[in-house]
Amino acid sequence: MYLSAIKNFITKNKYPEFQLKAVFFDMDGVLLDSMDFHSIAWVKTMNGLNIPFTMEEAYMNEGRVGHDTINNAYLRTFGRVATLDEQENIYQIKTNHLEDLGEIHAMPYSNDLLNKVKKQGLEIYLVTGSGQLTLLESLEDYFPNTFVKEKMVTAFDVKNGKPSPEPYLKALAKSGLNPWEVVVIENAPLGVESSTSAGLFTIGINSGPLDPDLLYTSGADIVFPGGMKELYKNWDDFYQVNLAPINA
Ligand code: CA
């Protein structure tokens, strides 16, 4: 199953081969068990401004940078995008709601997977649409000595957030690797759209209430409906397939 997924990926993208050298991790819903809190914070923020907004919508928007989510809701409700001041204020309200909800924890099995990936000698990158400083700073507490600034792309580094390919293309440029040497771990449809349009092999893990089929329709090469736990349990099998370069 993994081999055929990789061969399909090579053929689809017209790459010469596939040789795994790095893993690009999304943050929310992959490394951090944060999506319920984000969704609740968005719903509270929007509803407080008389903008209709549901938990499901929050999940569908996952991966976007904050101002895109705000502008989409504004356009729909008020027929215009938010001003820069409004964007800043609303994102601050969302941040306050998020912090009021309490501490966000590491996703179960994420540390185990990162340790495994490190031992296997693969490089680790972070690619997130998040601009939540508290969360970005918490990475060092949850995953010590794993993420360094030179190997991170956050909301502060991009002009166009996910689903644009820009965040993943930036990470690829930082890594100096070829697109056939990277695997992306994403949990949201827009995140998968971003990584696959950057031409990267993408494993979708489901960590919310959305139908996991949405990850396939967004372009994921492999989907684990059982989330990080299922990915962790299957990682060694996937890695084994990648011990030597794969041709189409
Ligand atoms: Ca995510």
Side-chain angles (χ1 to χ4, degrees):
M1 162 193 158
Y2 301 135
L3 188 61
S4 62
I6 293 165
K7 284 175 181 258
N8 284 342
F9 168 80
I10 300 170
T11 309
K12 180 176 72 183
N13 289 286
K14 302 190 174 72
Y15 290 155
E17 60 175 20
F18 189 81
Q19 185 173 18
L20 183 57
K21 291 185 180 168
V23 185
F24 289 5
F25 286 90
D26 169 47
M27 184 172 79
D28 290 293
V30 170
L31 298 173
L32 299 181
D33 196 359
S34 49
M35 275 316 298
D36 274 351
F37 280 14
H38 280 295
S39 303
I40 294 166
W42 275 121
V43 170
K44 279 189 173 173
T45 303
M46 297 295 191
N47 292 353
L49 299 162
N50 291 320
I51 297 171
F53 203 86
T54 62
M55 287 286 281
E56 199 195 13
E57 194 174 352
Y59 273 93
M60 284 305 290
N61 270 291
E62 190 198 339
R64 280 196 208 284
V65 291
H67 64 79
D68 285 339
T69 301
I70 293 164
N71 279 338
N72 286 348
Y74 251 66
L75 263 179
R76 191 188 60 211
T77 314
F78 305 124
R80 65 169 178 89
V81 296
T83 64
L84 286 179
D85 272 356
E86 285 167 337
Q87 289 173 21
E88 211 169 285
N89 290 338
I90 295 167
Y91 197 65
Q92 188 56 50
I93 297 170
K94 189 255 172 176
T95 303
N96 295 344
H97 280 310
L98 185 68
E99 290 181 355
D100 286 347
L101 287 167
E103 199 186 338
I104 283 170
H105 297 281
M107 184 67 84
Y109 294 91
S110 56
N111 230 328
D112 307 279
L113 180 65
L114 286 167
N115 287 332
K116 220 180 239 289
V117 165
K118 261 191 231 174
K119 277 200 192 118
Q120 289 163 340
L122 301 171
E123 286 190 64
I124 293 173
Y125 282 76
L126 182 86
V127 185
T128 178
S130 179
Q132 300 283 353
L133 287 173
T134 317
L135 290 186
L136 291 166
E137 283 159 9
S138 77
L139 289 173
E140 191 54 34
D141 300 330
Y142 290 127
F143 315 108
N145 307 316
T146 304
F147 297 102
V148 288
K149 214 167 179 316
E150 308 79 71
K151 295 185 176 182
M152 284 169 67
V153 173
T154 73
F156 304 109
D157 300 305
V158 295
K159 194 156 165 276
N160 302 299
K162 301 173 188 178
S164 153
E166 189 185 329
Y168 280 102
L169 291 174
K170 276 243 156 99
L172 193 64
K174 275 191 173 196
S175 73
L177 293 169
N178 292 304
W180 53 86
E181 297 172 325
V182 171
V183 160
V184 172
I185 316 292
E186 264 288 353
N187 75 308
L190 293 181
V192 170
E193 212 179 303
S194 169
S195 60
T196 54
S197 54
L200 301 181
F201 189 93
T202 303
I203 297 178
I205 61 172
N206 198 33
S207 51
L210 300 178
D211 186 338
D213 278 352
L214 280 171
L215 296 172
Y216 272 122
T217 48
S218 303
D221 298 281
I222 296 173
V223 174
F224 291 115
M228 181 54 92
K229 183 177 179 182
E230 192 185 354
L231 170 62
Y232 173 70
K233 301 213 151 154
N234 286 279
W235 179 262
D236 281 340
D237 289 342
F238 176 75
Y239 177 70
Q240 289 295 324
V241 169
N242 286 287
L243 282 174
I246 297 166
N247 296 99

